[in-house]
Structures are given as structure tokens and as C-alpha cells.
Amino acid sequence: MTSSVLLDLEPLTAERFAAIERRVASLLHTTADVVITQGEALLPLEACLRGAARPGSTALNVVTGPYGQTFGGWLRDSGATVVDLEVPYHTAAAPEQVERALAEHPEIELVSLVHAEAATGNTNPVAEIGAVVRSHGALLMLDAVASVAAEPLLTDEWGVDLCVIGGQKAMGGPAGVSAVSVSDRAWDRIAANPHAPRRSYLSLLDWKERWIDAGRTALPHAPAQLEMLALEACIDRIEESGGLEASFARHLAAAAATRAGVTALTPPAEAGLRPYVPADRDAAPVATTVRVPESLDARELVSSALAAAQDGSPALPLAAGGGALAGEMLRVNHYGPDASPGSVLRVLAALAAALRSAGVPADLDAASAAAESIWSPDQ
Ligand SMILES: *Cc1c(COP(=O)(O)O)cnc(C)c1O
């Protein structure tokens, strides 16, 4: 790439910025205001929670993976009392559990929830949980960074008040900008919170005042221009490759093929690789987490698989699990351009090689056939 492509650009106009916002709103199926935050997705997630939670209020934090843990910290920091609803990370939160928590704590005003967790590979039933939260009257904040473009995301229909996305997962786009939709109820709540960030990079109210209410005619500060153009380009690419439905189908197939493939690598009677999230229903289309047998260390297996795959082809979308799960779990990040048969089959081949060199027999033919049958069901 020549540097002029990156450097000698026309300024990004307010009009173009607003047009990109409208396209993000349509990805989210929302008529609410959308703010494209000029930083990675943790920026709007923190901005939402610090804006909506206030001292003396109570929030329900649904924890189904590491991001939920982070949200609990921000909520407590904002002075809110936090009720944590933690479910095992290889399952999903059930609407009944949320209903019970709300009934036990009628004072709950805000619920934070992650849609899909790329780190743990599970996905939550947001439509059902959203209905429960709406009938209680609380605000719902959803982290949809890992679900957008990988599975349906119906912000308005599901009653999501604050819906946060990032471009870096299934959209196959930039990590340096992110977006949040803000319902009227959420704006009212944040505006009524004397502790909501103001005159701050974390302030959604600043965007409302200086950008939205001012008619979207002048940007409040210099935009992250390259990242905005990359966001626009990745939305173009999604549209040109069949739209959201086609993107959902690619991610769903990649997840199903990975689940089938890793299971078939070792016979059922042997201790081998198994999907970390046992129920298909709870498995996120964006990424597949895999439990490694107790005799092996996931970090070593991943390094060995990555080394086996170093043949000049693109980087393998494979990583060891994070934090406490690093020894026992690995992740296949089959999202964006890697939501494809080629990427999944390369991961299976590398895992087969790594298993064999660790002394575990692996049947790559069976695994490849199981994965390929997902794309060609009549085989
Ligand atoms: C990826 C992801 C984010 C963004 O965090 P990074 O670790 O910085 O990529 C936020 N929430 C969820 C659920 C994610 O999967």
C-alpha cells in the first residue's frame, strides 16, 4: 500500500460521518440515535455504564464471561449497588433467572448483558431476556460487539436501550471505532444523572449536545478518519457479499463445522477435544471455544498448532483461552473473513498435527468430512 492512500485524504465531512451513522443504525435495526465513538468498543461500554448508573441505584449485571466481570467493576465504581447474576461460562443466561433476580430486587433500574461472548463462546437469548427487562421497566444495555454481523441483532424489537458494537469481530472491520445506539429512555436517564460524564471523552451527553442536537452539522473534534473509512468499507463489503443474512449464515456454518470437526478428531471413547459450550443452542456463531483433555495444556497445543501451520498461508485464527481458562480452553476465531470453510479446515489440520505430536491420535479425515458436510449437507 502506498502511503498516500493512508495519508493524503480529503477531510471527512460531517455529512459523510452522519451517513455512516445511519448505515450502522440499519445494521442494528434501530431508529434510535447512534453515536460512533472514536475508540475501541470498551469506550462506549464504559460510557454507557457510567452514564446510566448513579450512586444509590441498583443494577443487575448478568455475567456469562469475562466482559460481564469488567462491567461489574464500572457499575460499582459509579456508586451503584450491583446484583451479579453469574452463570457457568459454558452455558447461557436463562430469562427465568433474570426474571427471578428482578423479582427479588424490584429496585433494579439497569441491566447489563453481553450478547455473544467471543472469549467463552456462548450466546445469550436477548429477545427473551429483553422482554423480561422491559416489563420490569429497567434499562437494558447490551454488549453486541461479538454478535453484530454474526447473528441477528434486533435492537428496537428486543427492547435494547443501549446497544454497543465494534467493527473488529464478525464485521471484519476496524477495532479503532465503535458505536452505540441510545434510546429516548436511555437519554432521559443519562441526562437526569448528575454523575454522568460530561465534558469528557466518556460522555455520551457531549455527543448529544454538540453533535446530535446541533443538527449533525459540525463534528465536536477531529474524527478517527481512517477508521471511519474502514468502517464504511466493511459495511460495503457486508452488503456486497449478500448482506447480513449471508454473513449470519457464514458464521453459523463456520461454528457448526468447527464443533463437528473438533469432536470428530478423536473417537468418542478417547479423551480428546470437545466443544467447551456443550449445547448447540448456547454456542455463539462468532467463535468456537474448545476444551482440551486434562492431560494437555491448551497454550502448548495452540503454539504447536500455530507452528504446524506456518507454511506461508494467512495467520491461523486460533488462540489459547484467556485468564483462568488459558490452560484448559482454546478458541477458534472463525469470524469476518475467517468465517469460511478454508479457515476452519486449516485449523482442524493444524490441531490434528498438534494432537499427534502430543501423542494423542487424531483422525483428520473424519474431522474434515464432518466439517465439510456442514457446507454440503447432501454429501
Ligand atoms: C471482543 C469483545 C469486546 C471488545 O474487546 P477487545 O477485547 O478489546 O476486542 C467487547 N465485548 C465482547 C463481548 C467481545 O467479544
Side-chain angles (χ1 to χ4, degrees):
M1 192 182 308
T2 59
S3 60
S4 61
V5 172
L6 294 173
L7 301 177
D8 301 333
L9 299 160
E10 302 264 305
L12 186 79
T13 62
E15 208 176 5
R16 180 112 174 243
F17 193 99
I20 300 171
E21 278 182 349
R22 287 194 297 276
R23 294 183 72 189
V24 170
S26 87
L27 280 183
L28 300 187
H29 295 93
T30 185
T31 58
D33 291 326
V34 164
V35 177
I36 303 189
T37 34
Q38 306 291 290
E40 197 269 340
L42 292 177
L43 167 66
L45 289 166
E46 183 172 354
C48 285
L49 293 178
R50 292 194 187 274
R54 56 178 177 83
S57 68
T58 303
L60 174 65
N61 183 36
V62 183
V63 184
T64 54
Y67 290 98
Q69 287 179 341
T70 303
F71 300 167
W74 288 330
L75 288 165
R76 285 183 179 86
D77 230 38
S78 311
T81 300
V82 182
V83 177
D84 282 311
L85 169 58
E86 188 154 355
V87 308
Y89 292 176
H90 59 275
T91 65
E96 297 75 28
Q97 291 175 297
V98 174
E99 197 164 28
R100 212 171 309 130
L102 292 171
E104 280 167 16
H105 301 275
E107 70 280 15
I108 288 169
E109 296 181 351
L110 170 66
V111 177
S112 53
L113 175 70
V114 177
H115 190 185
E117 296 262 9
T120 40
N122 46 358
T123 187
N124 289 301
V126 181
E128 291 83 355
I129 293 175
V132 168
V133 174
R134 186 44 74 96
S135 70
H136 180 84
L139 278 192
L140 177 59
M141 187 209 74
L142 186 69
D143 174 350
V145 177
S147 60
V148 64
E151 57 186 300
L153 175 59
L154 304 176
T155 304
D156 289 356
E157 192 179 316
W158 294 348
V160 178
D161 293 290
L162 293 155
C163 187
V164 173
I165 65 153
Q168 72 263 44
K169 299 262 168 71
M171 289 172 71
V177 288
S178 46
V180 54
S181 69
V182 187
S183 71
D184 289 342
R185 285 164 17 107
W187 279 131
D188 291 347
R189 179 77 69 81
I190 298 170
N193 179 5
H195 296 273
R198 287 170 171 84
R199 301 292 174 257
S200 155
Y201 209 64
L202 284 172
S203 175
L204 295 174
L205 290 173
D206 286 3
W207 278 97
K208 179 163 171 56
E209 220 172 85
R210 297 175 173 185
W211 169 244
I212 299 172
D213 293 349
R216 294 184 170 90
T217 48
L219 286 160
H221 46 70
Q225 182 173 13
L226 288 172
E227 302 276 339
M228 289 299 293
L229 295 177
L231 178 62
E232 190 180 47
C234 88
I235 299 172
D236 285 342
R237 187 169 63 178
I238 291 171
E239 287 177 1
E240 286 156 11
S241 5
L244 279 176
E245 291 298 328
S247 182
F248 301 157
R250 281 193 296 276
H251 286 86
L252 200 60
T258 304
R259 291 171 67 77
V262 293
T263 306
L265 269 176
T266 41
E270 301 259 350
L273 302 182
R274 298 289 172 257
Y276 176 76
V277 177
D280 289 342
R281 184 192 63 223
D282 300 339
V286 70
T288 298
T289 44
V290 178
R291 193 184 285 285
V292 308
E294 265 174 42
S295 59
L296 300 178
D297 183 283
R299 286 160 292 209
E300 287 166 19
L301 196 70
V302 166
S303 322
S304 156
L306 292 174
Q310 268 171 8
D311 55 1
S313 49
L316 207 61
L318 183 67
L325 298 167
E328 60 191 84
M329 187 181 92
L330 57 84
R331 269 168 72 172
V332 185
N333 293 321
H334 45 64
Y335 49 69
D338 284 314
S340 70
S343 291
V344 171
L345 293 172
R346 286 176 56 235
V347 167
L348 292 173
L351 286 174
L355 284 170
R356 285 179 194 139
S357 57
V360 178
D363 188 344
L364 180 58
D365 289 342
S368 302
E372 279 169 344
S373 72
I374 302 293
W375 285 284
S376 340
D378 47 7
Q379 255 179 22

